[in-house]
Amino acid sequence: MEAGSLLRSPIPWTPKRPLRRSLGLTFPRPIRALNSDSRYRGPKPQRNWVADWVSNNDDAVRSLPIYAGSASLLAVLFNRTVSDIALVADASSSQSRADLLTLGLAVTNILAGLVWLSIRPKSISKVNPEGIECERMHSNLPNTLLSELLWAWESLSDVTCCRSLVIVYDGRCILQIGFAAESSNGDGKAVSVDADKLMQGSLYRGVMKSGVQSYLANLYLYPGKSELPFLPSNTQAVILQPLGDKGITIIGGDTVRGFTSADQAWISLIGEKLDSTLAKYVDNPPLVVQDPVFK
């Protein structure tokens, strides 16, 4: 057979699959829509009914030991009355010893209930700072430094309970913004920050010596609050954040224990960033303090 005739002869071929599958002609399957009334069937949060009931009936729960102790005391007296045993008997008998033990437990329950009623957790709420709003900063601040200082203030005031911010660096007050104490002169101006006097105080020296953040959760309990006369008189909490070894950031809050552990960690990072930025301008000529600008 010649080669040309072999090439011209048809080669038998039978597909094993249907033509439409080999060509990729597949027809879409009908899609059934979900019922509009179907609900979420996944795990649901569980409620603690006991905790909810206790929180809704706080007074009744605190009085339960008194009721239990009183009922126990009456039960012991009733038992001795109906059992033909004298109210005062020899303590050597087993019945008398059991009654004395029961009386002691009943009295303990009554006293515990009285303590629960007298000691209650104090509700913590925000306070309105007693002062005026001010914005004081050095003049001729570079735009980079100025924008970063304002960013730090806006971030802290928006996210945390911060209402006052003071930054002292290299012996100078770089920034005083937010609420401040009103001057006693009656001129409607804020008390300025005396950087030299602040650096001589025990709060500043203690923070700079330790090199770590100091959190005064309840400023009212600390006698060192007299070293911060520029803050509003009703400032509830203060964070003293060192800026390296040359400065400090003073943050005043409007809530007792209002700064959480996450806030404290975040403020530490902000302090490191401010220290890095401020260190670039320490070697520059001293900045001139501008007149206070109030808003």
Side-chain angles (χ1 to χ4, degrees), residues 204-284:
Y204 180 89
R205 290 182 298 175
V207 172
M208 300 307 297
K209 182 178 180 180
S210 62
V212 296
Q213 181 185 105
S214 178
Y215 180 28
L216 309 181
N218 190 353
L219 187 61
Y220 179 78
L221 302 178
Y222 292 88
K225 65 180 181 180
S226 59
E227 301 178 13
L228 309 173
F230 45 85
L231 294 179
S233 58
N234 62 340
T235 300
Q236 302 296 301
V238 168
I239 287 183
L240 305 174
Q241 174 63 42
L243 302 178
D245 56 352
K246 294 185 178 181
I248 190 174
T249 298
I250 302 174
I251 303 172
D254 59 359
T255 308
V256 176
R257 295 186 294 275
F259 294 99
T260 64
S261 57
D263 296 338
Q264 299 175 46
W266 185 49
I267 290 173
S268 298
L269 295 177
I270 291 180
E272 294 178 0
K273 190 176 190 316
L274 292 177
D275 177 36
S276 177
T277 304
L278 289 169
K280 300 177 182 179
Y281 305 99
V282 171
D283 298 333
N284 293 344

Side-chain angles (χ1 to χ4, degrees), residues 4-294:
S5 61
L6 179 61
L7 294 175
R8 289 194 298 269
S9 61
I11 300 175
W13 175 74
T14 303
K16 296 182 180 180
R17 297 181 180 180
L19 181 60
R20 67 178 185 179
R21 292 182 61 88
S22 63
L23 296 178
L25 300 176
T26 58
F27 299 94
R29 296 181 180 180
I31 301 175
R32 184 178 59 182
L34 295 177
N35 189 1
S36 59
D37 296 336
S38 60
R39 299 180 180 179
Y40 173 71
R41 297 182 180 180
K44 297 181 179 180
Q46 298 180 356
R47 296 184 59 183
N48 192 338
W49 299 100
V50 177
D52 294 342
W53 182 85
V54 170
S55 60
N56 295 330
N57 302 272
D58 184 68
D59 294 336
V61 172
R62 292 177 181 273
S63 302
L64 283 179
I66 298 178
Y67 298 144
S70 300
S72 301
L73 186 61
L74 294 176
V76 172
L77 297 178
F78 179 76
N79 178 61
R80 295 191 69 90
T81 301
V82 299
S83 59
D84 297 333
I85 300 177
L87 296 179
V88 179
D90 187 7
S92 60
S93 62
S94 59
Q95 182 65 34
S96 298
R97 291 195 296 270
D99 291 342
L100 290 175
L101 180 60
T102 306
L103 290 175
L105 295 176
V107 172
T108 303
N109 283 334
I110 294 175
L111 295 177
L114 294 175
V115 171
W116 285 9
L117 289 175
S118 61
I119 300 178
R120 296 174 179 270
K122 184 179 179 181
S123 59
I124 299 176
S125 58
K126 296 182 179 180
V127 300
N128 295 323
E130 296 177 356
I132 57 177
E133 295 188 49
C134 72
E135 182 178 337
R136 291 175 174 173
M137 61 188 68
H138 275 280
S139 61
N140 302 326
L141 286 178
N143 293 332
T144 303
L145 178 58
L146 178 61
S147 61
E148 186 161 337
L149 294 176
L150 295 179
W151 166 83
W153 159 247
E154 293 176 359
S155 301
L156 293 173
S157 59
D158 291 343
V159 178
T160 68
C161 65
C162 171
R163 293 299 175 266
S164 304
L165 177 63
V166 174
I167 297 178
V168 175
Y169 197 85
D170 197 27
R172 296 164 290 180
C173 180
I174 302 298
L175 176 68
Q176 181 184 10
I177 193 170
F179 284 92
E182 186 175 1
S183 176
S184 59
N185 298 331
D187 51 2
K189 295 184 179 181
V191 176
S192 59
V193 179
D194 189 347
D196 295 335
K197 186 176 181 181
L198 175 66
M199 296 172 61
Q200 296 175 1
S202 59
L203 290 179
Y204 180 89
R205 290 182 298 175
V207 172
M208 300 307 297
K209 182 178 180 180
S210 62
V212 296
Q213 181 185 105
S214 178
Y215 180 28
L216 309 181
N218 190 353
L219 187 61
Y220 179 78
L221 302 178
Y222 292 88
K225 65 180 181 180
S226 59
E227 301 178 13
L228 309 173
F230 45 85
L231 294 179
S233 58
N234 62 340
T235 300
Q236 302 296 301
V238 168
I239 287 183
L240 305 174
Q241 174 63 42
L243 302 178
D245 56 352
K246 294 185 178 181
I248 190 174
T249 298
I250 302 174
I251 303 172
D254 59 359
T255 308
V256 176
R257 295 186 294 275
F259 294 99
T260 64
S261 57
D263 296 338
Q264 299 175 46
W266 185 49
I267 290 173
S268 298
L269 295 177
I270 291 180
E272 294 178 0
K273 190 176 190 316
L274 292 177
D275 177 36
S276 177
T277 304
L278 289 169
K280 300 177 182 179
Y281 305 99
V282 171
D283 298 333
N284 293 344
L287 300 174
V288 180
V289 181
Q290 72 175 23
D291 294 334
V293 178
F294 298 93

